[in-house]
Structure formats: structure tokens, C-alpha cells
Amino acid sequence: MTFSDTHVLVTGGAGFIGSHTVDLLMAKGCKVSVLDNLSSGTLANLASWENHPRFAFVGGDVTQDITEAMAAAVARHGPIHRIAHFAAQTAVPISIDNPVTDIEVNLCGTTRVLEYARRNAVAKVVFASSSAVYDDDAPVPVSEESSARPSSPYGIDKLAAEIYLDYYARLYGVKFTALRFMNVYGPRQDPSSWYSGVISIFLDRAAAGEQITIFDDGEQTRDFVYVTDVANAVATALLGNAGDGAIINIGTGVEVTINEITRTILTLAKSRSAVQYAPARAGDIRRSVTTMDKATALLGFQAHINLREGLDHTLAWVRTAKST
Ligand code: UD1
């Protein structure tokens, strides 16, 4: 099935998860417009599509009205039919230091995207929500019914944005699916800051033989899901009716400690990096892993890439990125 008549807007499409989603939507034949302010994403992530007739890049920011920014892309490819909304401030620690900025980008930004959807009769919005909405004391594995009582402004704003999605669906008929991602990893995840995703940081340090810092005792757990699996879940919800009106966890159902992932990474990279322990990070949740029932039932979702395979691909990418 091709989607040559479907014009998709991917906000944050130059970023890590966004750009993998763009790759998949382009491969499926969609017309794709990316709106991105390049604050953390890069044009290099979109290099394959730069001159493609079905692709448009729009420099723009979800903290401003996006109608004007989108005008040229709409004139070229026609109205937007569906939106995948990734543009966000993605780091839990940053939200703790700057809660107001987090509200502006993650909550107001989502509301602006919903306003655009309402005014332009967009059929559906898929929202990148997060497992950070769950109560740290919720028993694991967390299901979508688990208590949502976030430990960070980031989690609060993702949860509030979900409520806006539901509100816009009820009042204006803008369909939505909110996907609560567990810890996504893979190629193009930028390892360069201390608040980057843990796998990207550890692979980068291990490949360079540099020290790795584990916060807390390393027995905290995460459910690591590979980025192309996540892009598949997004495309399924985005391009049809699957998951309409639903909030769905996207992960693997496999719980891994930070100590375990560190050992696996050091072995895979044949690295002698030293490992040091530092105090726990504020706002960190202790255990995180999801049930898979709802994602399987509503999206037919299954993670295809296991952790070992995903780490292999990501390490290969890290080595290439370092040598260029
Ligand atoms: C991550 C995502 C967030 C997403 C959430 C979903 C990133 C940057 N953040 O948050 O967008 O919504 O998952 O659950 O991808 N750690 C270390 N050493 C380091 C870095 C991290 O020990 O150098 C530890 C942290 O203390 C934490 C774990 O690794 O316990 C995961 O941290 P991180 O990759 O930053 O992700 P989350 O905070 O879970």
C-alpha cells in the first residue's frame, strides 16, 4: 500500500525519533513536510531526502504560530492530512531546572500543533508521549491503567498534553493516538550532552575508552526500545485508524538494569572504559518496563529488534560517526 496522496507533517522531524519516522513515511510513499527549529535535530539526519520531490523542510518552532511557517510547504504539497508531533524538550533533568520552558515547548507547543490541526481539518495527530508520566511507585510492569503521577515537569507536561489531545478530539473531532515511549535508543541519538539518552552516552564513551558514570547504584531499570520499532508504531497509528483515541505504551516488555546495560556495552565495544558511580539524579524513576497487551491489540505492535542487535547497529553507527 502506498500513501502518495497523504501529506504528513512531522514536527521535530530532524531529530532522533522524528528522522527515523520520516525515513519510514518516505519509504511508504507519503508526502512529508518536516517542521524543526534544529535546536537538537540536524539536517544531516534528513540528508537522504533533501532534494526529493515529496519532501519539504520547514525551519520553524512550535513555540510560535506555525501557520505562516507551513505556508510554502502547503502551497507545494497541498493541505496537511496527518501530523506526527515529536518537537519537544526531551530531557527530564532540563525540565526540573526549567519547568516554565518545558511548559512552553512541550505543553504550549503541543496545543499550537492541535490548534493548527483543528483549523486545517487535519484528520489525526500522533503524539510522542512518555513513560515519564507514570508514578514512580506504580508497580511494574506499568500498563496504560497504571497511576500517572509524574516525578518531573517533563512528565507533567506530557500528561497534560495528552489531556489536550483528548479535549481536541471531543470538541473538534481531531483524532489522536498518544504513544508513551519507553526508553528509545538507536543511531542518530546525540551522545554529546550529559542529559542525552544513557545508551548513546555509554556507547560513545565505551568506543572512545573514556570513563562511564552510572548515577545511583545502577540497579534502576529501563525498557529500551529500538528506534525503528518505534517509527513503525508511529506509522501504524498515523496512517490509519489503529489506536484512534487511545493512549498506548511503546516498549519491549524487557526490564534491564543500568548495570547490565553497562556490562553488555563494554563487552560489545571491547572497551576498557572505567566505570564510576555518582549520586542519583533528581526526578529519575527507579523501575520502568511496560506491559505489551494494548500495543499488540490495537497496533499489532511487536518489537522486532532485540537489545543485543540494536546495540550492535548503534555501536556501528557511533563508530562511523566518530570516524567522519
Ligand atoms: C528517557 C528519555 C525521555 C523519555 C523517557 C521515557 C532521553 C534523554 N530521555 O528518560 O525523553 O521520555 O526516557 O521513559 O532519552 N544514566 C546514567 N548515566 C548517564 C546517563 C543516564 O547512569 O550518564 C541513568 C539515569 O540516571 C537513568 C537511566 O540511566 O536512571 C536512563 O536515563 P536517560 O537515558 O537520561 O533516560 P530517562 O531519564 O529514563
Side-chain angles (χ1 to χ4, degrees):
M1 192 166 171
T2 66
F3 295 91
S4 53
D5 293 329
T6 306
H7 185 189
V8 178
L9 167 60
V10 183
T11 73
F16 165 48
I17 308 174
S19 66
H20 283 277
T21 303
V22 170
D23 289 348
L24 184 57
L25 295 172
M26 288 297 292
K28 285 180 182 292
C30 298
K31 293 183 270 188
V32 177
S33 291
V34 165
L35 179 89
D36 202 299
N37 68 359
L38 300 179
S39 59
S40 61
T42 64
L43 288 176
N45 288 341
L46 298 168
S48 344
W49 310 115
E50 206 181 341
N51 298 311
H52 197 287
R54 282 189 283 108
F55 178 79
F57 176 80
V58 177
D61 198 310
V62 293
T63 62
Q64 314 289 322
D65 183 60
I66 62 177
T67 307
E68 207 181 304
M70 287 304 299
V74 168
R76 191 168 143 204
H77 291 313
I80 298 292
H81 301 117
R82 290 165 186 265
I83 300 178
H85 176 43
F86 295 100
Q89 187 298 104
T90 59
V92 172
I94 290 184
S95 80
I96 292 170
D97 289 346
N98 293 299
V100 174
T101 307
D102 200 84
I103 292 170
E104 283 166 357
V105 180
N106 290 355
L107 183 53
C108 298
T110 303
T111 312
R112 282 183 196 281
V113 168
L114 285 169
E115 270 298 288
Y116 183 86
R118 162 170 97 88
R119 290 191 194 141
N120 294 281
V122 171
K124 184 164 182 181
V125 176
V126 172
F127 174 59
S129 189
S130 168
S131 61
V133 301
Y134 290 114
D135 192 332
D136 200 9
D137 293 328
V140 291
V142 285
S143 82
E144 294 78 359
E145 309 310 318
S146 296
S147 159
R149 186 170 175 245
S151 312
S152 64
Y154 174 83
I156 295 172
D157 297 332
K158 289 287 182 183
L159 186 60
E162 289 179 356
I163 298 172
Y164 266 99
L165 289 164
D166 180 60
Y167 167 81
Y168 271 72
R170 280 183 287 131
L171 251 73
Y172 306 119
V174 179
K175 292 186 177 133
F176 78 92
T177 303
L179 299 177
R180 290 180 175 165
F181 299 148
M182 310 308 281
N183 286 60
V184 188
Y185 74 101
R188 301 182 193 153
Q189 192 170 30
D190 175 17
S192 62
S193 72
W194 64 271
Y195 48 75
S196 301
V198 65
I199 287 183
S200 69
I201 297 176
F202 286 8
L203 281 173
D204 179 76
R205 303 298 182 274
E210 290 166 6
Q211 181 171 282
I212 282 172
T213 302
I214 296 178
F215 299 124
D216 206 351
D217 61 1
E219 288 302 300
Q220 68 270 38
T221 63
R222 292 294 184 270
D223 178 338
F224 292 103
V225 57
Y226 192 67
V227 66
T228 55
D229 280 327
V230 170
N232 267 312
V234 172
T236 303
L238 187 68
L239 298 176
N241 302 325
D244 274 6
I247 293 171
I248 306 171
N249 289 348
I250 298 296
T252 64
V254 180
E255 185 179 19
V256 182
T257 69
I258 299 303
N259 283 328
E260 281 172 272
I261 199 96
T262 308
R263 283 194 292 274
T264 310
I265 285 173
L266 290 175
T267 308
L268 274 180
K270 299 189 176 59
S271 173
R272 295 179 167 216
S273 288
V275 176
Q276 69 156 15
Y277 286 81
R281 245 174 24 180
D284 254 13
I285 51 173
R286 182 70 182 166
R287 290 183 69 185
S288 180
V289 62
T290 183
T291 56
M292 299 294 290
D293 312 58
K294 200 168 176 186
T296 307
L298 297 186
L299 302 179
F301 177 76
Q302 248 189 313
H304 292 293
I305 308 286
N306 68 33
L307 189 56
R308 178 68 194 244
E309 220 179 324
L311 287 173
D312 272 338
H313 295 324
T314 314
L315 179 61
W317 175 81
V318 167
R319 288 194 165 130
T320 315
K322 275 188 175 302
S323 65
T324 51

